[in-house]
Structures are given as C-alpha cells and as structure tokens.
C-alpha cells in the first residue's frame, strides 16, 4: 500500500517527534511489514514555482500557442510560450523556470518558440512526473491550475501534495489490517508508543426519509456477505473533489474521478473498507439481492468488459439483474455519472475466498478485492459507511436518508487468549517480565487481564483477525520488543549424531569420482517434453511419463524418465555456442510410473561426452571420445562404487535412440542396471548435436547391491610368471568369449588376463581377427615352477582351439 | 738412460698426452697404451732383471707409483670429460618452461551442488540429519499439513504444477517438515534435520525466475527450543557461508507453517553494510525465511505442541550462489554451458 507520510501525521505526531520518513520505513520493515520503496513525488525535480499569468495573448505565428507574461516572484515577470488551451490571464499556474528539472529528467531551458522567447514552461502534473494513471482527467486537458491563495514565487510542491513522502509497503497475506491508514496508525502508535489521534467524522444529521423505504436487501447466504449494509444519499451534486482530497488519492496511487467516487476511495484508503456507490435511479429494481451468479450470467463491468459469470462468482443483483461483481468491480449500467442524483452506498464484508477466486478467474484484482481477500475490519464497516455519508453531505451537498438498511450483520466476538509469561520466554529465548508483556499489549491497544504472576489474558480486537492463538501473540511480542534484542544462542539439548546416511555418503563420493574422471556436473531440467521423457530409459518399457495438468511451456510438460535426454539438451546448447568439448554428468531423480498415485522416484546417474575429454594441446592432440574411453570411465565408477556382483557389458541393438552396433547394456548379476554407447546418428541429428557417447545407471540397483569390503590382501612375496598368447579367431568372437574361455581353464594360479593387442585388417584373412593376451600366473604361497605354468598354459591353448576354433599364432 | 729416467720420461709424456685428451675414447686408448700388458711401462720393467737385488724393489716401487699417478690422472680426466658431456647434454635438453602443461581431464561439481554440500556440512557437523524427500508430492504434505488449507491466500504466492488435484510437483522442501515430524521418535531425542532438493513453481523462466530451483529446509523440534536458538543458528550459518564479520537481522514476515515468521537478512558481504548496488543501498541482503514452528503443524503431524516446539528455516541455494558469485541470470544454472560450470573450480 502506498502510505502517505503527511496523512499519517494528521493522526500521529511523527514529524513532531523527529521521526523522518526513511526511519519510519526502516522501522516498519523491522517491526511490521516489508517496504518496497520510499519516495517523494518531488524527488529529482527543481526550480518549479507558483506563477501568476498576468497577460496572455495569442502567438502571432501560431494558431494554438499563447504568449504569456508570468509573474514568478515579487519582482520578476517572464515571458513564457504555452500551448495549453486552458491558459488564461489571472490564473495561478505551475512554472518550470529556466534551469528547472521536471519529470523524466527533462531540463527546461530558455528558448525561442516560433520567434517568441520562452523563459520556462507552464506545466500539467504529468509533466512533473506524476503518473497519468493517477492524475485527474482535467490534467489531460491542459496545464494544472493552482488555487488562488498559492503564493507566487514559492516552490509549487505543497500546493499539489508533492512535498509528501510515500512509503510503499509490501503487506503479507496475514496483515490485511495494514492496508489502511487506520491500521498503519494503530501499528505505528504501538511501535513508537505514541498517542494516536485518529479523527473520525460522525454523521451529524439524517435529513431524508427512511432509507428502508428506498431499498430492501436480502443476502442469499451468510457466507457470501457476513455483513451487508447500505445507506441512501439524495440530492447529490456530482462535481470535482477539492484539492486536498485529490492530492490524498493521487499520493495513494488512486486516480481522482468525481466527488462521489473519490469519497468512497478515500474511505477505502482511510479505513481499508471498500465501498461501492450505485446510481440509485439506474438500478432496475430496488430489491437488492446478494447472491451467487447464475452460470453464464452476463455483466458489463465499469471497465466496459462484458463478463460471463460462473455459479461460484458472487454478485449484487437489483431484482434479478446483476449490477456489480461483489467486492471486485461495479457494473457499468449503474455507475455514478455527472447526472447522478441519488446514491445507494454499500459497505459490506464479502467472503475472502469467493472474492479471491472471482478476482483471479477474471483477472480483476482491484484495491477492493485485495482488501476483501485479506480480511476487513468488522469494527469499522459502519463507521466507514457513516463517514462516507458525512463527506457526501459536505462535498456533494447530499441529503442522507434515515437509517442504515442492513442486509446482514454477523457477530465478530473479540477473542480472548490466555498467555503464560514463562512460556513466552521459553519460546522466544527472552527474559521478559509480566509487566513488560502487559506494556507491549497496552501499546497495541489490546486489553489485558492479569491472572497471577505468570498468567494473563489478552483480548484481541477484531481488526486483528490474524491473531487467534498464543503463538500469534508471541509474534506481536517479538516484533514490538524487537528482534534485535532477542539474544543469539544455539539449541542446548541432547546430543544428536546426525550426519550423512550411508546412501547419502556414497552418492556424494560417487559424484566426485566422475569429476575426477573429467566430467562436469550438470543440473538439467527434470520437466521435459513427453517424447524426451520416454527416451533413453535404463529399462526400456512402454510407459507414458507423468504429465502436468497445466504446464507453463511446451518444453516442460512431463517428468523425465531418464537423465540422458537433458544432458543432450545441454550439449546442444553448448554446441550451438561453438563449445565442442563437452563432458557432463548428472545425478538426480527420474520418475517412473509404477501404478501408484505418484511415480517411483529413482536416483540415476548419467553421462554424456562429445568432442574430447582433453583439450588439444601444443604437444598432445586430444583424442575424440569413443565408446572405450567412456566405458573406461563407467568401469572406474563401478569399481569405486564397489558392488560385489558380476558386472557385464552386453551388446544391445534394440534401443532406438542408440547406435545399434555401439551400445551395450550394463548388467549387474544379470540384472539390467544401465547402458552405454553412442547416440544414434539420427537422434543426434534431431538434438542438433555432433557424435556423442552416453551412459546412464540406475543407482538404486547399485546402492542395493552387496558391497565389496574394504580389506587388504597381502602382496605375494613370490614372483609371477607371464605367458603371452596371440589368437586368430573369427571376427564374431568377442573379447568376453575369449576371456571367459581362458578363465574357465586357467587353473588355480592364473591371476590376470590382459588384452594387449587387437588387430583386424589386410594382413589377416577376411572375417578373422587377432587378439593377444598376457596371462599372469602366481602362487600366493610358493615359487611357481615353470613346468606347472607350462601345463596350465597348454590347457588354455587347447581349450581356446576347441571351444572357439582359435588358431594359436 | 737408466730405468728410472725412462720411467720418468714415460710418465711425463703420458701425463702430457692425458692432459691434451678431450674425449672418452682417447682416454681409454691412452690407458690401454700406457698401462696395458704390452705397454711401455711393462716393457721398461722387463729390464729390471739387470738390476741389483737392492735396486729392484726401489725401482719396482717407483714404477708402481708412476702407474698410480697415471691412473689417477686418467680417472680425473675421465670424470672431467664425463662431467662436461653431461653439462653439454643438459644444456641441449633445455626446455621452455613457460609452455603450457599438458591438459588433464577434471570435471567440477555444479555450483549449486557446492552450495548445498557446504550448507549440509555445516549442519551435519552440528548433529543434524539429512532427509531427502520426493519431488512429486502429495498436496496434503505440500500444503495442508503445513497449515495451508485449500483457499489459503498464501497459496497464491506459490504457483503450483499440479498433476492431479492431489498430486503436484513440490513447491517447497517444507513437506519434509511434516514427513519427518511424523516419522521421528521423540523419545530418542530432538529432531534436527536438513532437507535439500529441487522444487518447482509454475513460473515463466527469465533472469530471476526459474520453474525449477533448489531449497534447503531445516528444522529443529524438541523441548525448550527458542527463537534465540533460531537466531544463533542462522547467524552461525551466515558467518560460515559468507564470512565471520556478518550479522543477521530478523524482520517480521509471514509463512503459514511458522509463527512468529521472520525473514533473515545478513550484512551485505559486498559492502559490509555500507550500502552498494548488490544490497540496493540498504547494507542488508535477504537470504532466508524462518520462524518458530506453528503449533498446527506439530499437531497435524501428531506432535504435542504443549510439550514440543521448535524452529524451521528455508534457504535458496540458487539465490545464495547468485549473491555469492555474482551470477545475474538464474537460467545459467540449468543450461549447463561448460564455460559457466568450469569457473567454479576452487577446492576447499
């Protein structure tokens, strides 16, 4: 809310006590509500004074300009050329002198306009930087005319309220009471412990006939409008509001319209009580019904929009014709205009939720709806209605009909909360006495009653609907006592061990493994397209991903079932920016629908590498990533993960997004836990990425698997013996086939089988390849004898020939 | 010429030859020529048989002396030549040490991960446990059990990705408050937990909004936990993350699941409170929301608010990282440009 410092001062001696706007704002932020901005309308402006137009003649060379002689001080009159149609001799006007700075940082300089010298500019408020959304309509039509008593030569600010300071507060949903001057005065009075002098204007006389003869009201449901009241004011003269009222509205960000509308807005700002004025004579019936809208019912609102209503909207109807959206916006057909004679003035409390839903659905957030949503002070509904009627008698010459027509009046009993001094201190960590606490509530104007040396009762006024339990009062105590005065301690309590769980520790450590191996950690979006969500699944299955009901963008509609696709998006982003070496991994959630209401969330890790892991160097060229480099990374990762079972890489050509000849499923004890390979060139094309290798592992499976123990095995004191073997085999025979065959007949002393060469090419028969291995034999407990090794090695050779048709070379 | 003179002549000639030598090969040749079995000294000594029995041992001794002298000179010269050769080799092996080192492959943890790990470490050191929750949540845990009934205005503050009317992408890590309160066995002591993770809001992505970001929730519930404890805890975290000199100030705020609720500001680490563009001239930076756990939250999770109480706080690693490292666009965290990721390579 835009809170005027000058307005506050009418009810609270702030300036008198040396409390300046900036300090006030700071105090509010520390004690009450957040502050968006503190500013004065005159910030950045200078040399703008009151002038008197002494003479005004048409410009000789123009059909719309005037040449004016303007007195700008006791002894100085300057010539100013002005284009405003309403400029005339005898007027007091706003003069921006030579050297002045006006709105939008414009500097005014002496100049010649069509041959006539002009020593400044006569201004409208807009030209002083006042937003056109709040300037009165008259300001659009020419320069601003100052009151006759304005003193020539003085700065113009006080005459247009621009010397005020506006504190723009950001009110949290619980502090609806702070959406009024009344609420701000109450809170500031408590904060500074200042005596408040909030001036209310009671209605002096009701000179019309009985209002109940003019309108009948029925409220369909207590819930819609717990309070609904109306007054009727006759003989109203619609006109411009006086300057003081216009200024208050403008400084509060509300545009002055006419005296009737301005008075309702003034009351809204002053009390936080929205009012609505109907043109009584335009109401199609004088039976007012507050009810839910009929489904499909139409109403054209003040902003000229035809609204099609829904059954849970709430309306004010005259007879059965909707004439206003309750609490949100009035209807066009019954609005007050210059010819309005009789006003039906409504003051009500509407259901916050209904108003909120209606305003949201229609995107019609108004000053009124915002206040109804956050709660209205039931104590001032009638006060506000009466004061509005008072101002209509004062400013619009109205005659108030007798009595208030009450459509509904619910009870709002004051809440009494019992408090304990010890408990307050135990919660806040303070050492306050009962007297301290009672004093805080005295400042807040909450009645208290002492029960004993510890216990007391607090009566919470209805204006603070947000307070209902002791914890709420704790907050009042804490903020008024001052958060700064609360000491800083650490919880004293039973020692807790805390720390990461085994799972959390392993996940963290395994991330560091991949970083050590050259992969940057990425965090991509978990929400993606349906198509991408379904790709690259560790266990491909025909399942649809979970989708959002109302996504915000077509790129993020479904929860991912893989991480790889997100990494490919990242690679595409890098590639588009000419970054060609990209090595990423990501550890995070995938969401696999599993029949339940919520998907199963699995922790996965995935990697994607394109280009080279090492940047090209002056003396070493970075190798382009290939299957085996990435496989080495995955193998090391799995080794560090220390699962106890058997890990296998099994060729797979079934994944549509993967290269059919360069992809392997990763199996742990025959269970599929991941895959690795080259992205299918077609898929790569769709992602707009170059050749890329990827892997993804389901960490849930790895975390569940038995773990290899950390233990030390003595290094054998005895020497090992090695034998090399080169084989010529059919191309279809895999390394895994050979290694398995060797291990099968390796004997007790074979400790390692190491592949050191693979050759396929012109020196070999077609369809054949050569593989060469070093076999290492060792006895943990004795020196191996050559003949033992020879025997074992011969068995291997024979088996390779028999089982794989290998030719030993 | 007597034997002795001949030997002296051989010695002088030998020493002169050695002196002139400049390579190992020549040294070797001289050694063979002078001291070999067919060398001149051996030859001279053959004439010893003509000497008297008294002279023979003296001449023999003299000859051995000469041999030793020559050998010593040869060794000395050899080592000198070897040394020279080594020096020359080393000279020739000189490299330009300013050429860049060979690149190695090292990846970096994501900057948000770094912030999360740092915060988690601070709290685990204080005996907090880490509770990681699901990202797809039940509405009941994301809202109801946190004292946000349907139609609560505070729900407007969080635009939610719903999947069904009862299932949603969690908008906050706070559901873990309710889940942990329900799970915790208070007979075994207080609950001290921290819960980092991804959260989602129905926002349009721009420089300051992201439909996906991170939160770290913290909660302590036990007997006699005070607001002063909350303040002390937040102060400690702020100082560990941003520096010892920083102060924390609390301001009133509103969260449905805490009462009182506060925003915590820290002294601007950039200007140390003097006022600068980062803190918009206020000297303070808003870093987290916190408060004393609302009795309704405890009650709904089956914890007696008359016996137990506590505090909760939530902070945003994305915002922390933006503040701490001057990142201006939140989207940078999720686009994974490696030129961005690789900047955060400071360890320890």
């Amino acid at each position: 809310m835009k809170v005027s410092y000058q307005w506050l001062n009418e009810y609270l001696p702030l300036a008198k006590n040396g409390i300046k706007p900036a300090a006030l704002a700071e105090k509010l932020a520390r004690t009450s509500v957040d502050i968006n901005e503190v500013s004065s309308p005159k910030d950045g402006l200078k040399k703008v004074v009151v002038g008197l137009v002494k003479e005004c003649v048409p410009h000789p060379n123009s059909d719309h300009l005037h040449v004016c002689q303007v007195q700008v001080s006791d002894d100085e009159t300057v010539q100013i050329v002005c284009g405003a149609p309403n400029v005339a001799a005898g007027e007091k006007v706003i003069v921006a002198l030579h050297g002045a700075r006006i709105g939008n940082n414009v500097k005014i300089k002496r100049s010649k306009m069509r041959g006539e010298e002009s020593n400044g500019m006569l201004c409208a408020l807009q030209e002083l930087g006042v937003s056109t959304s709040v300037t009165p309509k008259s300001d659009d039509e020419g320069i601003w005319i100052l009151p006759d008593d304005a003193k020539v030569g003085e700065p113009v600010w006080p005459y247009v309220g621009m010397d005020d300071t506006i504190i723009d507060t950001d009110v949290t949903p619980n502090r609806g009471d702070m959406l009024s001057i009344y609420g701000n005065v109450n809170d500031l009075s408590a904060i500074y412990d200042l005596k408040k002098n909030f001036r209310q204007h009671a209605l002096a006389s009701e000179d019309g006939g009985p209002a109940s003869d003019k309108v009948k009201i029925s409220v369909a449901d207590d819930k819609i409008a717990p309070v609904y009241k109306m007054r009727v004011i006759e003989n109203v003269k619609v006109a411009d509001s006086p300057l003081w009222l216009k200024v208050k509205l403008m400084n509060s960000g509300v545009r002055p319209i006419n005296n009737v509308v301005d008075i309702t807005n003034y009351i809204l700002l002053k009390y936080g009580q929205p009012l609505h004025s109907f043109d009584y004579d335009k109401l199609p019936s004088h039976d007012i019904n507050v009810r839910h809208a009929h489904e499909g019912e139409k109403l054209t609102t003040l902003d000229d929009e035809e609204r099609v209503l829904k059954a849970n909207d709430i309306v004010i109807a005259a007879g059965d014709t909707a004439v206003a959206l309750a609490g949100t916006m009035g209807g066009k057909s019954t609005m007050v205009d210059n010819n309005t004679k009789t006003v039906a003035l409504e003051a009500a409390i509407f259901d916050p939720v209904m108003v909120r839903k209606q305003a949201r659905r229609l995107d019609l957030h108004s000053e009124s709806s915002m206040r109804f949503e956050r709660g209205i002070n039931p104590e001032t509904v009638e006060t506000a209605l009466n004061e509005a009627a008072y101002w209509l008698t004062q400013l619009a010459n109205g005659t108030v009909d007798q009595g208030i027509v009450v459509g509904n009046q619910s009870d709002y009993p004051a809440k009494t909360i019992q408090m304990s001094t010890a408990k307050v201190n135990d919660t806040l960590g303070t050492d306050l006495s009962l007297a301290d606490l009672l004093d805080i509530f005295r400042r807040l104007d909450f009645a208290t009653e002492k029960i004993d040396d510890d216990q007391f009762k607090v009566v919470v006024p209805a204006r603070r609907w947000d307070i209902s339990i002791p914890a709420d009062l704790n907050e009042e105590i804490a903020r008024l006592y001052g958060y700064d005065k609360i000491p800083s301690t650490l919880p004293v309590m039973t020692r807790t061990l805390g720390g990461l769980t085994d799972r959390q520790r392993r996940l963290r450590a395994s991330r560091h493994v991949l970083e050590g191996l050259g992969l940057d950690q990425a965090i991509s979006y978990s929400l993606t397209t349906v198509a991408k969500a379904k790709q690259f699944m560790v266990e491909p299955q025909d399942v649809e991903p979970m989708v959002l009901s109302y996504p915000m963008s077509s790129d993020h509609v479904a929860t991912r079932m893989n991480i790889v696709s997100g990494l490919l998006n990242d690679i595409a982003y890098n590639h588009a920016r000419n970054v060609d070496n990209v090595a990423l991994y990501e550890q995070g959630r995938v969401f696999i629908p599993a029949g339940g209401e919520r998907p199963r969330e699995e922790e996965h890790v995935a990697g994607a590498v394109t280009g080279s892991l090492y940047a090209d160097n002056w003396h070493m060229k970075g190798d382009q990533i290939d299957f085996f480099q990435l496989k080495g990374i995955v193998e090391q990762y799995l080794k560090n993960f220390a699962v106890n079972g058997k890990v296998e890489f099994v060729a797979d050509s079934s994944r549509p997004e993967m290269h059919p000849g360069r992809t392997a499923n990763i199996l742990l004890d025959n269970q599929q836990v991941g895959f690795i390979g080259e992205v299918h060139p077609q898929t790569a094309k769709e992602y707009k990425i170059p050749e890329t290798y990827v892997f993804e592992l389901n960490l849930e499976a790895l975390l569940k698997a038995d773990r290899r123990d950390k233990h030390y095995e003595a290094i054998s004191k005895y020497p090992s013996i090695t034998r090399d073997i080169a084989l010529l085999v059919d191309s279809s025979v895999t390394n895994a086939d050979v290694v398995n065959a060797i291990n099968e007949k390796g004997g007790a002393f074979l400790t390692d089988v190491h592949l050191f060469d693979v050759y396929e090419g012109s020196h070999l028969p077609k369809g054949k390849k050569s593989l060469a291995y070093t076999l290492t034999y060792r006895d943990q407990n004795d020196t191996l004898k050559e003949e033992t090794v020879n025997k074992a090695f011969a068995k291997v050779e024979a088996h390779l020939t028999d089982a794989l048709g290998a030719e030993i070379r | 010429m007597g034997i002795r003179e001949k030997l002296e002549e051989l010695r002088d000639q030998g020493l002169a030859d050695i002196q002139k030598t400049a390579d190992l090969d020549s040294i070797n040749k001289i050694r063979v020529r002078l001291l070999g079995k067919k060398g001149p000294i051996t030859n001279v000594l053959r004439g010893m048989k003509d000497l008297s029995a008294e002279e023979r041992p003296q001449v023999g001794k003299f000859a051995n002396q000469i041999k030793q002298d020559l050998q010593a000179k040869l060794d000395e010269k050899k080592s000198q030549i070897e040394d020279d050769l080594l020096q020359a080799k080393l000279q020739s092996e000189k490299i330009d040490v300013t050429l860049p080192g060979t690149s190695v492959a090292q990846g970096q943890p994501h900057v948000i991960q770094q912030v999360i790990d740092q915060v988690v470490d601070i709290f685990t050191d204080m005996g907090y446990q880490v509770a990681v929750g699901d990202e797809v949540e039940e509405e009941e845990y994301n809202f109801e059990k946190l004292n946000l009934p349907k139609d609560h205005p505070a729900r407007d503050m969080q635009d939610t990705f719903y999947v069904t009317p009862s299932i949603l992408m969690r908008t906050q890590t706070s559901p873990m408050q309710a889940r942990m309160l329900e799970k915790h066995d208070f007979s075994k002591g207080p609950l001290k937990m921290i819960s980092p993770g991804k959260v989602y809001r129905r926002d349009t992505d721009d420089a300051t909004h992201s439909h996906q970001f991170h939160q770290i929730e913290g909660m302590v519930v036990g007997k006699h936990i005070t607001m002063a404890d909350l303040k002390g805890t937040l102060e400690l975290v702020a100082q560990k993350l941003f520096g010892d000199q920083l102060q924390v100030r609390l301001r009133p705020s509103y969260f449905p699941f805490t009462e009182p609720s506060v925003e915590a500001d820290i002294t601007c680490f950039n200007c140390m409170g003097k006022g600068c563009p980062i803190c918009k001239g206020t000297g303070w930076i808003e870093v987290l929301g916190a408060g004393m756990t609302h009795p309704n939250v405890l009650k709904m999770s089956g914890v007696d608010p008359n016996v137990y109480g506590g505090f909760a706080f939530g902070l945003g690693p994305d915002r922390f990282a933006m503040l701490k490292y001057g990142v201006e666009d939140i989207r940078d965290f999720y686009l994974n440009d490696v030129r961005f990721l690789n900047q955060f390579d400071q360890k320890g």
Side-chain angles (χ1 to χ4, degrees), chain A residues 118-137:
Chain A
S118 184
N119 293 296
M121 176 175 166
L122 306 187
C123 300
L125 291 182
Q126 303 173 12
E127 282 150 345
L128 297 184
V130 180
S131 165
T132 50
S133 67
V134 302
T135 49
K137 205 159 185 338

Side-chain angles (χ1 to χ4, degrees), chain B residues 92-126:
Chain B
S92 74
E93 287 172 353
K94 189 174 172 186
I95 56 169
D96 177 358
V97 297
T98 68
L99 286 170
T102 307
S103 26
V104 294
Q106 188 196 46
Q108 305 306 335
H110 195 284
V111 58
I112 289 192
Q113 185 75 56
Q114 295 186 35
V115 173
I116 290 175
D117 286 352
Q118 209 182 345
V119 173
V120 164
D121 288 347
I122 292 169
F123 283 99
T124 51
D125 284 353
M126 292 192 288

Side-chain angles (χ1 to χ4, degrees), chain A residues 651-668:
Chain A
D652 177 82
S653 56
S654 67
R655 294 169 181 273
E657 311 88 17
M658 298 295 290
H659 190 306
R662 292 184 174 178
T663 298
N665 284 329
I666 303 171
L667 271 54
L668 171 64

Side-chain angles (χ1 to χ4, degrees), chain A residues 151 539 543:
Chain A
K151 279 190 79 180
E539 286 179 272
V543 59

Side-chain angles (χ1 to χ4, degrees), chain A residues 26 28-34 172-174 353 356-357 360 373 423 425-430 469 471-475 478-479 483-494 496-501 504 508 511-512 514-527 546-552 556 559-560 567 569-570 573-574 577 579 581-589 591 597-599 601 613-620, chain B residues 99-110 112-113 117 120-121 124 126-138 150-157 159 161-164 166-167 169 179 189-190 192 198 200 202-205 210-212 214 220 223-233 235-236 249-254 259-262 284 286 292 294-296 305-306 311 331-339 341-342 347:
Chain A
E26 168 82 7
L28 274 174
R30 306 288 293 271
T31 324
S32 184
V33 291
D34 212 352
T172 48
N174 59 326
V353 174
R356 186 165 65 94
K357 283 190 169 165
R360 249 171 98 86
E373 287 172 31
K423 264 209 137 147
N425 286 320
D426 194 35
T427 304
L428 299 181
T430 46
I469 56 171
D472 298 328
L473 290 177
N474 286 344
E475 178 161 68
R479 71 186 185 93
Y483 284 114
D484 288 347
K485 289 194 223 153
I486 290 179
S488 292
T489 55
L490 286 178
V492 181
M493 52 168 73
T494 340
T496 48
L497 269 180
L500 298 180
T501 61
Q504 290 159 355
R508 186 191 278 199
R511 292 199 313 261
H512 298 324
L514 291 174
E515 285 146 21
L517 294 169
L519 274 54
D520 284 317
Q521 186 187 11
I523 300 179
S524 317
Y525 293 118
S526 307
L527 295 170
M546 190 186 86
V547 293
L548 306 177
S549 315
Y550 297 101
M552 197 72 189
H556 309 291
T559 46
R560 64 183 180 186
L567 293 177
N569 285 341
D570 299 338
Y573 183 86
N574 279 281
R577 282 152 189 81
V579 180
N581 294 335
V582 186
L584 297 172
Y585 85 91
E586 179 168 350
Q587 189 189 81
R589 295 291 170 78
F591 307 82
E597 224 188 347
R598 292 192 287 159
E601 295 192 20
L613 279 173
Y614 307 85
D616 274 350
N617 197 275
W618 59 278
H619 85 301
M620 226 179 81
Chain B
L99 286 170
T102 307
S103 26
V104 294
Q106 188 196 46
Q108 305 306 335
H110 195 284
I112 289 192
Q113 185 75 56
D117 286 352
V120 164
D121 288 347
T124 51
M126 292 192 288
Y128 285 59
Q129 58 171 307
V130 182
V132 181
D134 284 347
E135 293 171 23
V136 180
E137 251 304 354
E138 293 170 32
K150 271 205 177 54
D151 301 323
H152 193 288
R155 283 205 189 181
D156 283 359
M157 292 152 70
D159 251 317
F161 282 127
Y162 277 93
V163 177
T164 68
S166 59
I167 302 295
M169 301 305 292
R179 290 196 177 271
K192 290 163 76 176
K198 276 184 189 163
Y200 304 85
R202 201 170 171 280
D203 256 332
T204 302
D205 294 346
S210 176
H211 74 274
Q212 165 185 302
H214 293 77
V220 175
K223 292 176 181 170
H224 312 294
I225 311 288
T226 69
M227 190 139 204
D229 294 336
L230 168 63
K231 199 172 162 187
T233 302
E235 226 156 66
L236 188 90
R249 71 169 195 185
L250 304 180
R251 282 184 292 113
S253 186
Y254 174 69
E259 186 71 39
S261 299
V262 289
W284 295 94
E286 184 182 319
M292 304 305 291
H294 198 290
N296 290 355
N306 294 314
F311 61 75
R331 289 170 294 195
D332 284 339
F333 293 131
Y334 303 106
L335 294 169
N336 301 303
D337 186 322
V338 294
R339 294 167 301 181
L341 298 176
N342 279 317
K347 305 286 178 194

